[in-house]
Amino acid sequence: MFSTLLIFVVLGIFAGILAGLLGIGGGLVIVPILVFALPPLGIPEVHLMHIALGTSLASIIFTSISSMRSHNKRGAVRWDIFKTITPGIIVGTFLGSLSTSFMNTNFLKAVFVIFLYYVASQMLFGLKPKASRQVPGSKGMFTAGSVIGIFSSLVGIGGGTLSVPFLTMCNIVIHTAIGTAAAIGLPIALAGTAGYIWTGLGVEGLPPYCFGYVYLPALIGIVSASMLTAPIGVRLAHSLPVDKLKKIFAVLLIIVATRMLITIF
C-alpha cells in the first residue's frame, strides 16, 4: 500500500506543476497518468477508464476548492452565473457519469482521445472563441450547464476547457471567465464523483481500496502532492516561456492521445 501511494505522490507532483505552469485542468493530466500507471498495479482493463475518470473527478473536488477561493479573493468569480448554471451542471454531470456504466473502456478511451486532440489543437493554434452573444437566461444556462456537465463527466475534467470558451463567447472577460469556471469545477467534481461512486458500488473485479470507481491510493497521493506543487508551477509560469511550453505540451498531448488510440485496436 505504501509503495503504491508513493507512486501516486510522485505523479501528483508532476500533475501539480504542469497544472500550475500551463494553467490546464488537473483532469487533463491526471486521467492519462492513471490510464498508463494503473494496469501495472493490477487494475483490470475492463474497469480502467471508469476508475481513471472517477478518481480524476474526486481529486478535482479538492483542487477546485483551492482554485475557487484564490480566484474569489481577486473578485474574479461571477456568482450570479455560478448560481444559474449549477443546476444544469449537476444534472448533466451526474447523468453523464451514470451513463458510463453502459460504456466500455475502449469507448471511453476514444472519447478522451478526441478530447485530447481538441485541446492540443487549441493550444497549438491559439484558437479562441469570439465574444458573440450575451449570457443566456435560466433555461439557456441550464442547457449549457447540462452539456458541459455531460462532457466533463465523460472525460474526467473540471470543465474549464469547456466552460471558459462558453463564458468568453458570452462576453465575459477572460480573467472572470477563468475564475467562474474554477468555481463551476466544484459542482462538476461533486456530481461526477457521486455518479462514479454510485455506479461502481457492488461491481465485481474492482481492486482493493476502491470506493466505487474511485481508487483511494491514487486519490490520496495525487491530491496531497498536486495541491502542494501547483503553486510552484504558478511561480515558474512567471519566469518561463509559457506560450512555447504550451505548444510543446500540445505535441505531448497528441503523442499521448495517439498512444491511447493504438491501445483501442
Side-chain angles (χ1 to χ4, degrees):
M1 172 66 174
F2 178 76
S3 59
T4 300
L5 188 61
L6 185 61
I7 291 171
F8 290 111
V9 168
V10 173
L11 295 176
I13 291 171
F14 176 71
I17 291 175
L18 273 181
L21 176 62
L22 301 178
I24 58 175
L28 191 64
V29 177
I30 293 171
V31 173
I33 284 176
L34 292 176
V35 167
F36 294 119
L38 290 177
L41 298 176
I43 305 297
E45 177 72 17
V46 67
H47 301 309
L48 178 59
M49 279 302 294
H50 298 81
I51 292 174
L53 297 171
T55 305
S56 174
L57 285 166
S59 71
I60 292 170
I61 293 175
F62 301 91
T63 55
S64 65
I65 291 173
S66 175
S67 179
M68 176 178 65
R69 291 178 63 184
S70 175
H71 284 290
N72 188 50
K73 286 179 181 178
R74 302 184 179 208
V77 179
R78 282 279 303 269
W79 291 109
D80 57 327
I81 292 177
F82 175 84
K83 290 177 182 177
T84 54
I85 202 171
T86 292
I89 287 286
I90 292 173
V91 171
T93 308
F94 187 70
L95 292 180
S97 59
L98 291 182
S99 70
T100 60
S101 62
F102 304 102
M103 304 173 189
N104 61 34
T105 282
N106 281 342
F107 179 82
L108 291 172
K109 275 187 181 180
V111 173
F112 193 78
V113 163
I114 294 170
F115 173 70
L116 286 185
Y117 284 135
Y118 162 75
V119 174
S121 65
Q122 297 283 98
M123 287 185 172
L124 273 177
F125 304 112
L127 302 176
K128 297 178 181 179
K130 295 181 180 180
S132 57
R133 57 176 300 168
Q134 298 300 314
V135 177
S138 57
K139 291 183 179 179
M141 291 296 277
F142 183 89
T143 301
S146 298
V147 173
I148 291 171
I150 289 171
F151 280 100
S152 296
S153 67
L154 295 180
V155 293
I157 63 169
T161 309
L162 304 171
S163 53
V164 170
F166 167 70
L167 293 172
T168 302
M169 283 192 298
C170 295
N171 278 286
I172 305 299
V173 295
I174 187 62
H175 294 298
T176 302
I178 292 172
T180 306
I184 292 170
L186 181 57
I188 287 176
L190 288 170
T193 301
Y196 277 103
I197 290 174
W198 180 271
T199 56
L201 290 176
V203 171
E204 296 183 0
L206 291 179
Y209 311 114
C210 262
F211 183 39
Y213 283 125
V214 176
Y215 188 48
L216 296 179
L219 175 63
I220 295 169
I222 289 173
V223 168
S224 60
S226 63
M227 290 188 71
L228 291 174
T229 56
I232 297 174
V234 172
R235 287 196 292 271
L236 288 173
H238 293 282
S239 58
L240 296 176
V242 175
D243 288 339
K244 290 183 179 179
L245 289 173
K246 280 190 175 183
K247 294 186 185 302
I248 294 172
F249 184 69
V251 174
L252 178 61
L253 287 182
I254 292 173
I255 294 171
V256 170
T258 304
R259 185 178 173 187
M260 287 181 68
L261 184 62
I262 292 171
T263 65
I264 297 174
F265 301 103

